[in-house]
Amino acid sequence: MKKKVLAVMLSLAMTTSLGGSVVFAEESDSSIYDVENYEFEDVTITIHTRWDEADTSGPLYQEIVDSFMEKYPGITVECINIPTESEWLNSESVLMSDESSMPNIIVEYGGSRVADYVEQGLIVDMDPYYEVYPEWEERFNSMGDSLTDFTSFGYEGTYGVPFTAYEVMLFYNEDILDENGIDPESIESWDDLMDACATLLENGVQPFDMGESDDYRFGHLHSVLNYKTYGVEVAEELGSREITYDGEEQLAIYQMIIDAVDAGYLGTNLLGNDDGQERSIFNTGGAAFLFMGTWYCAEDHTGMELFDEEKIHALRFPYVNEEYKYEDMGGGNEAYYVVDTGDEAEVAASVLFLKYMTSEEMVNMFVEGYPSPMCVEITTDAGNYLSLEANAIIEETEAVAGDIENYDSASHMTNTVRQSLQGIAMGSTAEEIGQTIVDLIAEYE
């Protein structure tokens, strides 16, 4: 299914606590869904997040939390912040497996992991709250639909509140390309990109320097190459096993990555560098290209010469098959899911927090400091030149899909696929990668 994607621009120390009480205001609607009319007393909620205090967005998220607690002094918000994705996923899995340790709100990306929680009755359906507050639901655009709609898994309702959005793009260093006679506008296809990489390497310039110690890097490359080769519908075809991970379609994707690795285009220390080192190398002129989500545009580039001089620019990720030129990896970047801990007060306070977080005032404050695409309507002018370039690309996008593993019904698939893809950096063949994934799937089934 294809649909025009609306470009909506300019997009917490571990603690757990239970308990609290809620008192209904005497003259208010006593509906459990009318959270604005609650009077909260000594309610503590915990949020499990990937918020990074060292990142530009971290203090902005904390500002939302602090201002919420100031407005609602009967509610305390405590946060578990784990920025590293693999550690965050492992922590979430452990906490959600024990009723006594479950957070009240989790940050997730939709897909099969959340579907498992929905099946267990652990995630609150937001529809009754939107019936009470229809104007709240109207604040969301279509970019976050894939994070909140689980009908493909057999569950009716709306699960989760989407926040930031993204699209994976190709970023390049203008000076490096110019010095090597490469016209960025000529890079439209994957073959064009590989030719540019060959030219750069011949001239002693490193094209990419990926940080695959963060295994989502090859994971994202695998996803976006699929969409640029077969279109976004391949996500559901692979997820339903109509297409298999050891079939010819996926072997072709693995081989594209292998060829680029073997040629030296993708990195000099793939398993030694993480994504932060990858960006640092690019930001200081050590590599010509970076492929990354549009959150890169919103990061803190203060004092970065290349950014100050507007030498870094955005391109749509190159297509493999031209018919899928405008189909991309992207959509909702994160959603917040209310966990049904069995405590009515905690659930109500959690919903109220998310309603506050996605309010006009808080969203505008957030994007003014972190100009990212958003799943929520914004009414402020904020951004930087790179965000504006990315937004122009998003405006022309026809269809998006997120991490391809999220469309599989098995919740282990993200780890299974990403860890298997790391074998590429260790010399595995395409057939070995496919067989490893299929064998691991069989072990779970």
Side-chain angles (χ1 to χ4, degrees):
M1 179 181 68
K2 293 185 179 181
K3 58 183 177 181
K4 190 72 174 177
V5 178
L6 298 177
V8 184
M9 199 52 214
L10 314 177
S11 61
L12 297 127
M14 179 172 291
T15 55
T16 57
S17 179
L18 298 172
S21 61
V22 60
V23 179
F24 292 107
E26 292 182 3
E27 298 181 0
S28 71
D29 180 0
S30 62
S31 165
I32 61 172
Y33 304 117
D34 188 8
V35 295
E36 290 281 2
N37 286 314
Y38 288 174
E39 292 181 0
F40 295 91
E41 296 179 1
D42 300 324
V43 179
T44 297
I45 59 173
T46 304
I47 309 178
H48 187 267
T49 84
R50 285 194 64 199
W51 299 347
D52 187 350
E53 296 173 351
D55 183 72
T56 306
S57 61
L60 296 171
Y61 285 117
Q62 187 63 53
E63 185 174 342
I64 294 173
V65 170
D66 292 343
S67 61
F68 173 80
M69 290 191 291
E70 182 177 352
K71 182 173 182 178
Y72 299 99
I75 304 173
T76 299
V77 180
E78 299 178 340
C79 305
I80 305 169
N81 300 318
I82 306 176
T84 302
E85 186 168 67
S86 58
E87 295 176 5
W88 157 74
L89 282 173
N90 290 335
S91 172
E92 176 187 283
S93 178
V94 171
L95 294 174
M96 289 295 289
S97 67
D98 188 339
E99 188 175 300
S100 67
S101 64
M102 288 180 183
N104 299 101
I105 300 172
I106 59 173
V107 178
E108 259 286 5
Y109 306 147
S112 55
R113 289 193 304 273
V114 180
D116 278 355
Y117 299 146
V118 173
E119 182 178 15
Q120 296 173 59
L122 298 178
I123 305 298
V124 174
D125 182 359
M126 299 305 297
D127 279 347
Y129 301 96
Y130 291 144
E131 289 177 10
V132 176
Y133 303 109
E135 72 285 354
W136 183 22
E137 184 178 25
E138 291 171 2
R139 289 189 47 73
F140 302 101
N141 61 58
S142 63
M143 294 187 77
D145 289 354
S146 64
L147 303 182
T148 62
D149 184 350
F150 291 85
T151 53
S152 63
F153 293 92
Y155 308 114
E156 299 296 326
T158 304
Y159 298 89
V161 175
F163 198 56
T164 58
Y166 78 105
E167 187 169 310
V168 168
M169 295 185 183
L170 181 66
F171 299 95
Y172 67 90
N173 183 311
E174 174 188 332
D175 285 345
I176 292 179
L177 266 58
D178 184 58
E179 291 165 2
N180 289 274
I182 299 170
D183 179 5
E185 296 303 319
S186 70
I187 303 175
E188 296 191 270
S189 71
W190 179 254
D191 287 343
D192 294 335
L193 179 59
M194 294 299 97
D195 288 344
C197 288
T199 297
L200 290 165
L201 206 58
E202 288 171 3
N203 294 340
V205 178
Q206 183 60 39
F208 291 85
D209 216 327
M210 291 181 60
E212 176 56 17
S213 71
D214 280 315
D215 60 11
Y216 85 88
R217 302 304 291 129
F218 278 179
H220 279 191
L221 186 55
H222 172 253
S223 291
V224 70
L225 283 174
N226 263 285
Y227 303 150
K228 294 305 212 176
T229 305
Y230 310 117
V232 298
E233 291 182 356
V234 72
E236 292 191 4
E237 293 170 349
L238 190 59
S240 66
R241 312 292 169 78
E242 178 182 343
I243 292 175
T244 63
Y245 278 92
D246 61 348
E248 62 181 13
E249 298 90 350
Q250 292 310 294
L251 293 181
I253 301 298
Y254 309 146
Q255 194 62 51
M256 280 188 269
I257 303 174
I258 290 169
D259 289 345
V261 168
D262 289 349
Y265 299 159
L266 297 189
T268 58
N269 190 19
L270 285 166
L271 295 178
N273 291 338
D274 59 23
D275 70 338
Q277 292 165 305
E278 175 182 359
R279 279 175 281 191
S280 178
I281 291 168
F282 176 72
N283 290 344
T284 54
F289 295 114
L290 173 77
F291 90 90
M292 188 70 65
T294 48
W295 55 79
Y296 173 73
C297 304
E299 291 174 356
D300 186 4
H301 297 115
T302 302
M304 181 178 143
E305 183 177 348
L306 290 172
F307 194 84
D308 291 342
E309 297 180 0
E310 300 189 4
K311 296 295 187 178
I312 291 174
H313 300 283
L315 288 174
R316 182 177 301 280
F317 195 92
Y319 63 80
V320 179
N321 290 326
E322 189 169 6
E323 63 182 300
Y324 304 118
K325 178 178 181 178
Y326 295 103
E327 301 197 20
D328 293 272
M329 181 179 181
N333 185 41
E334 61 178 353
Y336 293 76
Y337 301 86
V338 177
V339 178
D340 189 353
T341 60
D343 188 304
E344 183 180 292
E346 293 177 1
V347 171
S350 299
V351 173
L352 183 61
F353 174 79
L354 296 182
K355 187 172 186 297
Y356 180 81
M357 182 176 186
T358 53
S359 66
E360 180 178 8
E361 179 184 2
M362 290 298 102
V363 170
N364 285 349
M365 179 277 294
F366 184 85
V367 299
E368 286 170 3
Y370 190 78
S372 168
M374 299 292 288
C375 298
V376 196
E377 178 185 359
I378 62 170
T379 56
T380 186
D381 292 327
N384 55 54
Y385 83 94
L386 193 58
S387 294
L388 295 173
E389 289 183 8
N391 187 60
I393 293 170
I394 294 173
E395 285 181 338
E396 296 182 339
T397 300
E398 295 176 352
V400 293
D403 294 272
I404 203 165
E405 310 91 357
N406 281 349
Y407 296 83
D408 196 289
S409 61
S411 59
H412 66 84
M413 287 303 290
T414 296
N415 284 337
T416 293
V417 174
R418 291 181 178 182
Q419 291 173 10
S420 298
L421 288 171
Q422 285 196 319
I424 292 175
M426 296 179 279
S428 296
T429 66
E431 289 76 14
E432 288 170 339
I433 298 299
Q435 190 63 53
T436 298
I437 296 174
V438 169
D439 288 347
L440 288 169
I441 291 173
E443 287 182 17
Y444 280 96
E445 295 178 345

